[in-house]
Amino acid sequence: SELIARAGQHATRTAFRNASSSFTYGQLLKRSGAISGALLDHRNDLEEERIAFEMPAGITYADTQWGIWRAGGISV
C-alpha cells in the first residue's frame, strides 16, 4: 500500500513519541510486519476479514492496526 511504501521511505524518522521513548517508521514497519505474519498464518491475504482489537492509544495500537492492514484485514 502507499502508506507502507511511504513509511519505508522515511524509516529513520520518528513516527511516535511518548514521555519516555520514541519509535521510528522502520520500527513500526518491523513490528507491524510481525503482527501481519502472525495473522496470516501461511495465508496470502485476510481478504478483508474484520479483526477486532482493543488497547490504549500508543505504539502497540499502531503496530496492531498497521499489521491488520498489511495482512489485508479490516481493523475494528
Side-chain angles (χ1 to χ4, degrees), residues 33-61:
I35 292 168
S36 176
L39 287 169
L40 287 170
D41 190 31
H42 305 292
R43 294 182 284 178
N44 291 326
D45 193 313
L46 292 179
E47 298 179 13
E48 297 184 355
E49 182 178 339
R50 286 161 179 79
I51 308 293
F53 69 103
E54 182 178 1
M55 60 189 59
I59 188 66
T60 305
Y61 184 97

Side-chain angles (χ1 to χ4, degrees), residues 1-10 25 29 66 69-70:
S1 84
E2 185 175 335
L3 176 68
I4 303 306
R6 284 180 161 229
Q9 293 171 357
H10 303 285
Y25 283 103
L29 289 170
W66 281 39
W69 291 344
R70 292 179 73 180

Side-chain angles (χ1 to χ4, degrees), residues 8 12 62-63 65:
T12 59
D63 294 337
Q65 185 175 47

Side-chain angles (χ1 to χ4, degrees), residues 7-23:
Q9 293 171 357
H10 303 285
T12 59
R13 292 187 182 174
T14 300
F16 289 92
R17 185 177 318 194
N18 62 29
S20 61
S21 56
S22 64
F23 300 90

